[in-house]
Amino acid sequence: MRLYSFLILFLISAIVTNAQKGNVSGDTIGAIFNEKIIAYNADGEISPIKIPDKGHYFLVYRFKGFDPRRVETIDSVRALEEKITTILLGGMVDNLKVICLSYDKGEEYKKWCENIKKSPPFKESVKYTVEYKNLNGHPDSEARCRDLFTKVTLFGPDGKFLSYSSSIAKFRYHLKNEKILIKGKIVSEKDGVEEPIEEMDVHVEASNKRDTLAKGKTDKYGDFAVKIPNNDTAYIIKANAKDKNVGILKLLTQEGKKISYMFKSNKGFEFKLLKADILELAEMKVDEDITMSIKKFQSSQEKELLVIEDIIYEKDQYRLTSSTEEVLNKVLSNLNKNEKMKLEIISHTDSQGDDQFNLKLSEKRAQVVAEYLIEKGIDKKRITHSGKGETQIRNRCFNNINCSDKEHGYNRRTEFKFSK
């Protein structure tokens, strides 16, 4: 009889555990998901959970809410923030979005909205974005989310199920066994002019043992690409110039952004790679949302905020594309929420083509952006616009310089200058 009772209790315990955990399991790791789940934000608007989510790594955190009977402790949220930091630094995950997901309805949902607006649980961070969503009693969404998400669930940019845990303390995700592809450019500098060096051997070594971990060679633009292990080893990048008269070498990103000068020794040129340098060369850039940037700006003492976006146009054209409108709608939303804020729109081109044509093209591009916002209801007195053409090139790619399209692309940009 006692054995029978024990078996019944064991089965009940297993059922409860699986219900808390959902149907995800070790077999789910690596599966690809394509989901759009109805959820709501703190303004009462529909804000779906999308997997994949526009190239973001995507972490879902099941937040119990503010009800004193099931309150989430500050310690548990801080513990997850520590885990997120580990993911970013150790796992080399970029563009991380955290969804703080709650399951409330009726009056509890209203209380959740009030509390999220008043005191959101996560601290603001430039390293990742946080969105607060609630299922608000939606039955299909509740069923799917209980199936799909545990306490902490991580997806890749392609919707791949990467990791999960029913406990924050036990959650793990690290890519130490994988390799990181780093891409760079090596140029010589003389009299302020940068010239790429072709056919230069590039080596990456472990600084502690000086073991060669990767080899590469520069192309006609000075560009190289090598794969290095993703671990805590310190790295040294070395380059050997065939021309012994080369005095100064610089390490850049392939877009032409300076990383550092390379130190010259009797064995060639070298530079010690720091974590921040690896992030730059691996093109793992922080994706700070415009809304987050403006929110911080509004509470700061700063008078101006500059946000740079790569607005994509067809060659020599100035018509807006659908991807451009997605960016502009974020700008529009923030201008509507901050009615005293003003905006200056500044458009830039690369150096390819005629100088005057590029100047006029950039003016038209800035103008159509301004017109879009005005047509959507923004007072034209709040908006100014200008085109700079190719007068503010950010790298070496001035007129008559042979550059890659990636380098030219670094100069094609639109700047949004917000002011209070």
Side-chain angles (χ1 to χ4, degrees):
M1 187 68 179
R2 287 181 180 178
L3 179 60
Y4 179 77
S5 299
F6 174 78
L7 289 173
I8 293 295
L9 288 172
F10 177 79
L11 288 172
I12 291 173
S13 174
I15 291 169
V16 170
T17 300
N18 286 332
Q20 290 173 341
K21 182 178 175 181
N23 287 338
V24 296
S25 67
D27 295 336
T28 316
I29 299 297
I32 301 293
F33 287 85
N34 190 341
E35 303 273 342
K36 185 175 181 180
I37 303 169
I38 297 298
Y40 300 82
N41 60 25
D43 292 320
E45 304 166 334
I46 292 178
S47 180
I49 300 169
K50 299 176 183 177
I51 309 173
D53 187 3
K54 295 182 181 177
H56 290 90
Y57 282 82
F58 179 63
L59 186 146
V60 179
Y61 169 54
R62 284 180 58 169
F63 181 68
K64 291 183 179 178
F66 298 91
D67 189 320
R69 295 167 297 176
R70 53 188 180 87
V71 68
E72 196 81 34
T73 66
I74 293 175
D75 288 344
S76 64
V77 174
R78 297 296 170 261
L80 182 58
E81 288 175 334
E82 288 293 322
K83 291 289 183 180
I84 290 170
T85 301
T86 301
I87 290 172
L88 291 170
L89 294 178
M92 304 301 288
V93 169
D94 63 326
N95 287 350
L96 178 65
K97 179 180 288 186
V98 177
I99 300 297
C100 185
L101 178 63
S102 299
Y103 297 65
D104 296 297
K105 54 187 173 184
E107 290 301 316
E108 287 188 351
Y109 171 68
K110 291 179 181 179
K111 289 178 184 177
W112 176 86
C113 292
E114 292 172 3
N115 283 308
I116 288 295
K117 291 179 180 179
K118 181 180 178 182
S119 181
F122 283 86
K123 292 182 294 186
E124 290 184 358
S125 173
V126 298
K127 301 298 183 184
Y128 56 92
T129 60
V130 181
E131 293 184 0
Y132 299 93
K133 298 181 188 289
N134 201 307
L135 301 184
N136 193 16
H138 195 286
D140 293 338
S141 296
E142 283 195 2
R144 187 59 184 136
C145 287
R146 292 187 192 282
D147 244 6
L148 193 57
F149 307 133
T150 59
K151 186 66 175 177
V152 187
T153 313
L154 181 67
F155 297 86
D158 56 355
K160 181 183 290 186
F161 195 102
L162 297 177
S163 185
Y164 72 95
S165 177
S166 57
S167 163
I168 294 172
K170 295 179 181 178
F171 181 71
R172 298 285 185 274
Y173 185 68
H174 202 287
L175 293 177
K176 278 192 173 182
N177 294 326
E178 294 192 5
K179 290 191 173 183
I180 310 165
L181 177 64
I182 61 172
K183 301 177 181 180
K185 180 188 299 290
I186 296 177
V187 298
S188 63
E189 183 182 65
K190 186 176 182 180
D191 300 327
V193 178
E194 297 176 352
E195 290 289 345
I197 298 184
E198 187 176 357
E199 294 292 312
M200 173 179 278
D201 292 323
V202 178
H203 299 253
V204 179
E205 298 179 350
S207 62
N208 54 350
K209 296 181 180 179
R210 291 294 174 123
D211 293 332
T212 299
L213 302 174
K215 296 180 181 180
K217 193 180 289 287
T218 58
D219 65 12
K220 65 179 181 179
Y221 298 113
D223 291 348
F224 68 90
V226 293
K227 285 186 176 182
I228 62 173
N230 180 12
N231 54 39
D232 298 326
T233 302
Y235 300 106
I236 290 177
I237 188 165
K238 299 181 69 174
N240 296 311
K242 294 178 181 178
D243 184 354
K244 301 303 179 182
N245 294 320
V246 173
I248 299 175
L249 285 187
K250 290 170 72 174
L251 175 65
L252 315 174
T253 67
Q254 289 190 347
E255 292 86 355
K257 181 180 178 181
K258 178 184 171 184
I259 299 295
S260 177
Y261 286 101
M262 298 187 73
F263 173 73
K264 189 174 184 179
S265 69
N266 57 356
K267 295 182 179 180
F269 292 84
E270 61 182 51
F271 171 67
K272 186 175 181 179
L273 285 173
L274 303 176
K275 282 278 188 184
D277 303 319
I278 293 174
L279 288 174
E280 285 281 357
L281 294 173
E283 300 178 333
M284 292 182 176
K285 297 179 175 58
V286 175
D287 181 27
E288 184 167 10
D289 187 72
I290 291 176
T291 301
M292 181 182 290
S293 300
I294 290 177
K295 185 177 180 181
K296 293 177 183 177
F297 169 60
Q298 286 292 64
S299 60
S300 74
Q301 299 298 315
E302 300 294 327
K303 298 299 181 183
E304 292 185 340
L305 168 69
L306 183 66
V307 176
I308 299 176
E309 291 287 344
D310 296 324
I311 304 294
I312 306 300
Y313 301 91
E314 293 182 12
K315 182 176 174 59
D316 297 338
Q317 299 296 317
Y318 53 87
R319 289 190 298 271
L320 299 181
T321 64
S322 57
S323 61
T324 297
E325 291 182 4
E326 287 182 13
V327 175
L328 297 186
N329 286 336
K330 288 186 179 181
V331 174
L332 176 67
S333 174
N334 283 284
L335 288 174
N336 283 326
K337 291 177 182 177
N338 303 277
E339 296 182 353
K340 294 183 179 180
M341 186 182 291
K342 295 183 179 180
L343 174 64
E344 180 183 1
I345 302 158
I346 308 164
S347 180
H348 302 264
T349 69
D350 59 38
S351 64
Q352 298 178 98
D354 179 74
D355 291 15
Q356 285 302 311
F357 175 84
N358 284 337
L359 181 61
K360 291 179 180 178
L361 179 63
S362 66
E363 289 171 348
K364 290 178 180 177
R365 287 177 172 176
Q367 182 180 344
V368 296
V369 170
E371 289 174 348
Y372 179 88
L373 297 173
I374 292 168
E375 288 173 1
K376 295 291 185 179
I378 302 300
D379 188 339
K380 63 181 179 182
K381 294 179 182 178
R382 297 172 62 192
I383 297 179
T384 57
H385 60 86
S386 62
K388 300 296 183 182
E390 55 183 273
T391 62
Q392 295 182 9
I393 297 297
R394 298 196 288 178
N395 54 21
R396 69 186 186 89
C397 300
F398 296 95
N399 283 339
N400 302 316
I401 300 294
N402 186 22
C403 292
S404 67
D405 188 63
K406 206 167 192 178
E407 290 176 277
H408 283 304
Y410 187 53
N411 296 307
R412 298 190 291 262
R413 66 199 187 276
T414 298
E415 298 173 342
F416 296 93
K417 186 181 290 185
F418 298 93
S419 59
K420 297 176 183 175

